[in-house]
Amino acid sequence: MSVKKIIVIGNGMVGYKFCEKLVANGGAKAFAVTVFGEEKRPAYDRVQLTQYFSGKTADDLTLAGPEWYRDHGIELRLGDRVAAIDRAARTLTSQSGAILAYDTLVLATGSAPFVPTVPGVDKQGIFVYRTLDDLDGIIAYAKNAKRATVIGGGLLGLEAAKAVYDLGLETHVVEFAQRLMPRQIDEPGSAILVEKIQALGVRVHLNKSTKEIAGNGHIEGLIFADGSRLDTDLLVISAGIRPRDELAKACGLETGPRGGIIVNDCMQTSDPDILCIGEAALHKGIIYGLVAPGYEMAEVAANTLMGGEKRFIAGDLSAKLKLMGVDVANFGDAFGETQGARTVVYRNDKAGVYKRLTLSPFGDFVMGGMLVGDASEYGSLIQFMKNRTTLPPNPEDLILGPRGDSKQVGSLSPIFLPDTAQICTCNNVSKGEIVKAVRDGVCEIGPLKNCTKAGTGCGGCLPMVADILKGVLESEGKTVSDHLCQHFGYSRQELFEIARIKRIQSYAELLASHGKGKGCEICKPAVASILASLWNDMILEHQGEQDTNDRYLANIQQGGTYSIVPRVPGGEISPEKLIVLGQVARQFDLYCKITGAQRIDLFGARVEQLPDIWEILVKAGFESGHAYGKALRTVKSCVGSTWCRFGVQDSTSFAIRIEERYRGLRAPHKLKSACSGCVRECAEAQSKDFGLVATEKGWNLYVCGNGGAKPQHAELLASDLDEETCIKYIDRFLMYYIRTADRLTRTATWFNKLEGGIEKLRKVIIDDSLGLCAEMEKQMQGLVDTYKCEWKEVVENPELRKRFRHFLNSEESDETLAWARERDQKRPANWHPELAAEAAAIAEATRTTEP
Amino acid sequence: MTVPTSEKTLVWKRAVRTVDVPAESGGTVLLDGRQFAVFHFRNPDAWYACQNQCPHKGDMVIGRGLIGDDKGEPKVACPQHKKTFSLVSGKNLGGEAYCLDTYPVKIEDGYVFIGIAEA
């Protein structure tokens, strides 16, 4: 018996999802599957297309590489378009001339942008916004353009506008209707959206019908029906989509009067051996232009082929989007079109927020709504709608949140939802599935995502998934496990105490006595850090447990090369040392950048170059800056009273003293510090893990501040301290943090979880309430006394130097590293999609010219 | 077309001296211009080989990854973004689609040999 042949026409997101579902349900093994894609690349994430302009590469957007198809026995024919289907002979012919027989066809042909027939629409500089090739065209043309216009103020139009805006062009959006996103939001909602977008500098032109495109060969401007004109160098047309049903029409399949291939609930077309899914399918008179219903169709089609019973029920058109940084959501009966429906509206022009809810005629449940400017309640509202949950007494609480008594548990918490509630719309995961996984022992968000797939699509449901996880654990009297990982049933703090009291010196020893298995990338570096904090051994004695940065004493960067940050205590550096840095950078062709912490970072060193570079640096008096370690980075300073006419203390000298005291200190996470010479705080000490600000009488000591992703103002621990007391308190503070914090927890996060807050910290550190201070000071002094520069040791030790090479069996370098030049310095090649394409083209040209 | 494995012959390539591979760790080897990652677990001894290129971003760095196990399954974590892969099957343990190619390993005369299927 011959294997049934399935041919999928179209390799977009939905076409790929179909393959994925067919792999999952065994269909890919049971059938011979061939996929045609007219683009040269395998399916990519069109929803995230704008991210191509903000740094993501074509590879990043790829849903699965060619190897995925190969590994699952799926033949992928890219760059070839199917030209005709012969239903009688059950064959198809591709543009390249291939004739293939099929048993079942799956049309996933998608849609094409609709381009209105305006005179002049064939001029140069006019684009649509659909494929990566379109985007490459826009990027290339934008180089010689100043002003870009997008026709179409819908979802795709605004995404296209964001894209050209990100390219640095003056951006205009032209919409035929009286408002933006006319299908999703009403006029007051649009007004908020327009105002927010215009605040970015994008000009919005509503109520404009384009009559003609002006220009001589290339576009120069738009002429509107009202006689006005808008000059522009580049135009993106985003005036809607049209289903790609031309193949279906040509072979006589039934199509809708306005296009689209008619399908039943099993996704079969008028020919039961031909299925259709995605934007080309017309189901009960509706074309679904969103990815979620497309995915559902893919699942149903894969199920149909395996003889399953799944049916496609009217898809969900709800969507939460971020357009030019503005949240916009629309769900259910957003415009209140249901007979007798009631409306609740909240509008705040000052904050730029508009929320509108449609309630059922008796006001007992939510039927739909729209949110502009703040869509944080979207996930919960949609659950209220789908589950017809009875509304709270004041339905406005749903969009305003509980007011007054803030401790009241929000009625919006997903805990109150029924188990059937769909939490992840992208992957159709119910609350019940998530609850079950948690009850079966999945107690962390990462594994929970992996096992349920919830939150792995757009990620919008992740806060709800986290709330459900927390809620279920709490209901079972559990808290989120603080165990380090599956290999140690202890928290970091417990392991620290075990290692300290039992004087455990190695990871292997601790694993054998208190752990199980072979360890992993979580516990190995965490234990290595504990051992370093306790015994201060040379880091490379524990090489097998160190993460790559500590293993090579440098920071791994794009492409797998390393960067080097020599210590520059307090940010003070002599001309001689500056010259050495310049010479080293020139000799090894390293990219130079001043860091945020008053140091100089040298990028692009190959692993085998590191010892040679450091040999020169050590000779010139430099030491490791520990930028690679979970260790003290820098103590940033201002020039203080030495130079500054406002300075009251010598902040530079004190910064250097502190930096030299704690250099090399390993901690649960990196440590940053700063020291300011007066209250003007130029060194920004109050945003550091510990910081000092000079007063007339001495120093104010701040702790547990943070910059980065979640800035937090430091807390004042003590005022007007002399230098010796400062150091005593910092010793105790750092040691207490190192002993008690969880892995990879900065001081700010550690502090936020510390019961008793700053009062408790003062008691432990100043009043010695735990009786630990003498021991902690001694421990710190031990670490200070045993400090050695790791790089000096490596440079002087031929055996250690040997570890710094790319290959174990060859002295050669990694030849795959490629460089480009930018602003007179080198940088990794292929970091931008344009350049990746360029490099690929060069590689291709070289290959074809070779004999 | 990919040639089915049965039609290929496994060629054993001498890769590196066992003493040159750090234990409970690993490294990168160069064989006929191709890069492979080799890892060595101890107690009991076990050796693994896989592609050196991380399938996530394409960097040649897997040989510098930390090794360990996930519920008994030997694994490696890419040093760049901590994507983890089975050293037995090459499967992506984070559930993403991309995987590693793994290769059979044998130890003879103090050398690590990697088995590569050739058509």
Side-chain angles (χ1 to χ4, degrees), chain A residues 23-50:
Chain A
V23 166
N25 72 9
K29 281 210 178 88
F31 309 125
V33 185
T34 303
V35 177
F36 276 88
E38 83 182 1
E39 290 184 63
K40 289 185 207 73
R41 298 183 178 89
Y44 49 86
D45 191 346
R46 259 189 250 280
V47 174
Q48 311 279 345
L49 216 49
T50 41

Side-chain angles (χ1 to χ4, degrees), chain A residues 161-177:
Chain A
K162 168 83 165 75
V164 287
Y165 175 81
D166 280 348
L167 287 173
L169 302 184
E170 181 188 320
T171 307
H172 295 258
V173 174
V174 174
E175 167 59 46
F176 177 75

Side-chain angles (χ1 to χ4, degrees), chain A residues 442-465:
Chain A
V442 186
C443 302
E444 285 166 72
I445 194 86
L448 191 60
K449 276 169 68 185
N450 285 340
C451 103
T452 61
K453 298 277 169 255
T456 57
C458 71
C461 64
L462 271 181
M464 287 209 290
V465 177

Side-chain angles (χ1 to χ4, degrees), chain B residues 3-5 7-13 32 34 115-119:
Chain B
V3 185
T5 320
E7 290 172 31
K8 292 178 178 174
T9 28
L10 200 62
V11 179
W12 289 101
K13 306 254 183 190
D32 305 331
R34 283 172 73 189
I116 298 162
E118 288 188 357

